[in-house]
Amino acid sequence: MNLALAELSRLLARRFVQLMAVLLIAAFGVTVATTVASTHKPTAAELQRAEQEVRVAEIQLEPLRQNCEQRSPNLSFCDAYAQQKPRIEDYLYGVFIFSDEILDLVYFMIAFLALFAFLIAASFVGAELTSGGMTNLLLWRPQRITVLGTKLATVLAAVLALSIVASVLYIGAFYALAEIGGLPGDLDGEFWSDLVLTVLRGLGLVLFAAAIGFGAATLGRHTAAALGLIATYAIVWEIGARIVFQVTEASRPERYMLSSYIGAWMAGRASFYDQFACTNGFGSLCSREYELTWIHAAAVFAITLAAIVGGAFATFRHRDLA
Amino acid sequence: MTSTVWFWHMTAVIHIEGLRKTFRTMRGGARVALNGFDMTVEAGQIHGFLGPNGSGKTTTLRTLLGLVRADDGRMSILGHPAPDALPAVAPRLGAIVESPQFFGNFTGRRTLRLLARAGGVPAERVEAVLTQVGLRDRGNERVKAYSLGMKQRLAVASALLKQPELLILDEPANGLDPAGIREMRDLMRELSTAGITVLVSSHILAEIELICDHVTIISRGQRVATGPVAAVLSGFDKGEYRVRVADLDRAAGVLTTAGLPVTRKEDHLVVADVGDAAWIAEQLGQRGMWVSELTPLTPDLESVFLQLTNSAPEPVPTRQVDEAIQPGTIDLGVQP
Ligand SMILES: Nc1ncnc2c1ncn2[C@@H]1O[C@H](COP(=O)(O)OP(=O)(O)OP(=O)(O)O)[C@@H](O)[C@H]1O
Ligand SMILES: [Mg+2]
């Protein structure tokens, strides 16, 4: 515990961490500011006009729905008609509607937090390995796994705490903005549970990024090793291998890409279209679509973590330290 | 490494036997740093650890402290096998290894507080050690802004924090000013009087000679001498005397006839195998030569060190700078 507290003060005192935190706040600030600049409280006239348009839309929908019910109730577009409920929010322009836009904004926030977590965690261990700070600590506490484990746990806990605070503030800011200068929209139970679930998944992703950054920097003994790993992965695999898969007409290339799993993890599921499937003539029985779910994603994340973080701990145990 | 095997080393605070370490580089290169090195440090000693640059001192200490894995050999520290039992003995051990790095953004005081906290040491110790190393009034400055010597003092302070029984200091005088070196000397003496065993590596041989009671000399990864300082020195005492008289040639003749090895120097003679100095004075006096100086040439640690490390198993390729520059061989292209 004492070791963890000591690590925490080292983490918070790092210039790089402070700089990254400022950048993070700045990025969020810019997002909020641009939203502020592009929204306004709808005027009475605008609301009236929107209500009018909703009524018009309802009137237009009605015969279509009836037509469906009478003739072909199980067609998919009929379902869509049945579910479609024109809302006032759909006919207001330049108005920030919390319920419609917050999910995309949360994705953006998670992306930023994940990047932040990755860099912080990588530099936290990388800088100490290069500067000899780790050596010092090990002279003091000659238990390598404990020391490295405490470091990882500290950075994960710090990143998690910061992400929770950031999420609450971020979502809170947009909610307040909607109340003051926009519209909250339909905030039913389903909406909130969806939002909370998305944020929780996002936090998972942020922790994953931190652990990978930490592990890669430990394996490579340098912060730059983590950056190199990501850059290499992105260029060689996500871009290079994708092209190769395209050329060789490999089936379902997306399932080899970490990015697909990140998407599946965040959205719960992700569908992909396999352009090389169903080329053998049994068209109607064959589905070109396939799906990756968050469970697949969790498995892939677990394997990646085991390889990189597990590998980092295994090698750190016996390595010569300068 | 069972405890029975180690039983006879229980009195030794540090015992190292047949330590080997070869560093391998990524490109497949290999550098032998330790080649069967042995060392024993007994309780209560101030033990000097000497050797030329790259001879393996730091590697030995790193290996002992578990930072580097040995290829072969056995080590014990405070009666426990190292590095396996290091976690158990760590609270009794203070160490600095080659200019330690501290986190620059913290003040000296905070650095020590954090270490104290991480190691379960009472916070009062921080003030005590800061005073002990002379940093009390600069403790609130960032380590980044410390001078080399101040960083070194901070390192020593961190090693003292636990009130260790054994102190391992790798070049503690590195970067210290003359006053600092003297303070370090007094500090080590003080600690030794308090019963602490000190192992100290240094290149300042006069310093080692002043404070250490025992030395181990390493060269090219092997021990070339060990024992009490006096014993190591006396092994090199050839009973030489410096003799100064007016007529050097005649005196040399007399002493050579008497069977003593004599070396003629510029303005004096060096006579070896002298049993009784009075005998020389008498012999020369009887022939009307009056001795103006008759001084025993006792070897100092420096001369012994230089001799020993040049007579190492595989001679160190040293002095390249001097070898390269022969007087008269450099053509500077200047026309007279
Ligand atoms: N991490 C390393 N990788 C490769 N070689 C190393 C490493 N550390 C030390 N060596 C080599 O091992 C040998 C012993 O080095 P060591 O640092 O132990 O010497 P030293 O006696 O402490 O020298 P100095 O008096 O200069 O501090 C040297 O030849 C050095 O180049
Ligand atoms: Mg050294």
Side-chain angles (χ1 to χ4, degrees), chain B residues 141-218:
Chain B
E141 285 174 31
R142 282 167 186 251
V143 173
K144 240 195 298 217
Y146 278 6
S147 70
L148 176 62
M150 286 162 73
K151 283 186 193 137
Q152 201 66 26
R153 286 168 193 251
L154 183 64
V156 175
S158 74
L160 290 173
L161 211 47
K162 292 175 180 171
Q163 292 188 290
E165 291 165 43
L166 169 63
L167 199 55
I168 295 176
L169 304 171
D170 191 9
E171 296 188 44
N174 185 16
L176 292 188
D177 56 13
I181 291 178
R182 189 182 201 143
E183 286 162 26
M184 185 67 69
R185 186 197 309 156
D186 293 342
L187 180 65
M188 278 191 238
R189 284 208 181 114
E190 196 182 298
L191 293 169
S192 177
T193 322
I196 295 173
T197 310
V198 183
L199 173 63
V200 53
S201 94
S202 178
H203 289 296
I204 309 174
L205 298 175
E207 198 58 31
I208 293 284
E209 203 168 350
L210 274 176
I211 51 173
C212 293
D213 43 42
H214 286 71
V215 287
T216 294
I217 302 181
I218 182 175

Side-chain angles (χ1 to χ4, degrees), chain A residues 132-152:
Chain A
M134 182 65 99
T135 312
N136 244 355
L137 201 57
L138 284 173
L139 283 180
W140 192 258
R141 281 281 286 263
Q143 292 140 297
R144 292 193 179 195
I145 296 304
T146 311
V147 166
L148 193 68
T150 308
K151 224 176 186 43
L152 176 60

